Amino acid sequence: MLVSTLVMVALAAARWHSARGHAQQAHAARQTAEHLRAAYHQAAVTPMQALREQGHALPEVERRTHQATIRAALQGEGPRAADSSTKSDALAATLAQAEPAGHDPKALLQQAVNKRELDTAEDVNDVLVWRLRRLAQLPAHPDEVSRRPQAGASQPTTATNRTNNRAVPTAAAHSATDPLNRPLRR
């Protein structure tokens, strides 16, 4: 998500420089955006493949339900958005992960579709997966979903340090006990 944001910043910089007649700076910003897009595509391969596999592994009834939801939501978006290729498996997996987190898949998908236009997207399904994961506050990598607490579950005040398996206080617990980390009063 960070790389995606950086692409948007680079494109905004390119437009800003272009509007002011700074040709070299605008070209450099566009070139930076292209390099960042390439980095994004490279970084997104593994999570998207994992999501496609998860979507393909869904029970057939659940998979068909999500595919019907996807087709209905993308009906007016043109033929390339509504294709039922294996790419929509990632979208189905994301909808399946959003449902136990307390979201209505149909409403969430419609919100993602309505958020911005999809005409300029290279891959509509990938864009919608990214939007859905942000809207539903799902982790960027699909394997992290099984490690997250469910909605409504109480949050622990300690976290396990993966390198040595000892409990470490989180920022919230630490700030409550350490007077140096308390917010300043006005």
Side-chain angles (χ1 to χ4, degrees), residues 7-162:
V7 169
M8 296 301 289
V9 169
L11 290 173
R15 287 188 186 118
W16 187 86
H17 284 296
S18 183
R20 282 154 184 76
H22 307 153
Q24 288 179 326
Q25 290 85 351
H27 176 72
R30 281 191 294 277
Q31 199 171 22
T32 299
E34 288 305 313
H35 288 295
L36 287 168
R37 275 192 186 121
Y40 172 79
H41 287 298
Q42 187 176 3
V45 168
T46 303
M48 289 305 291
Q49 184 58 38
L51 277 170
R52 286 185 189 108
E53 290 170 4
Q54 289 175 11
H56 189 70
L58 286 172
E60 191 61 32
V61 174
E62 184 178 2
R63 190 168 168 222
R64 276 194 228 140
T65 302
H66 290 307
Q67 294 291 349
T69 301
I70 294 165
R71 277 192 303 278
L74 297 178
Q75 205 169 36
E77 296 299 324
R80 71 185 185 111
D83 72 354
S84 59
S85 68
T86 57
K87 288 189 174 188
S88 63
D89 284 344
L91 197 50
T94 301
L95 290 173
Q97 291 171 2
E99 199 167 17
H103 299 281
D104 175 25
K106 290 178 185 177
L108 190 65
L109 182 57
Q110 197 58 53
Q111 185 181 359
V113 168
N114 294 340
K115 194 167 182 79
R116 275 189 44 206
E117 56 83 25
L118 292 167
D119 296 337
T120 58
E122 285 180 34
D123 189 323
V124 173
N125 292 310
D126 288 357
V127 169
L128 289 174
V129 165
W130 185 83
R131 288 181 188 175
L132 285 170
R133 297 192 84 72
R134 288 203 57 198
L135 290 169
Q137 297 179 343
L138 296 172
H141 201 285
D143 293 337
E144 294 175 16
V145 171
S146 60
R147 294 191 297 256
R148 272 181 80 187
Q150 291 297 321
S154 64
Q155 297 291 328
T157 57
T158 60
T160 303
N161 185 334
R162 289 191 176 136

Side-chain angles (χ1 to χ4, degrees), residues 165-178:
N165 292 330
R166 65 181 180 90
V168 178
T170 60
H174 189 65
S175 66
T177 59
D178 187 358

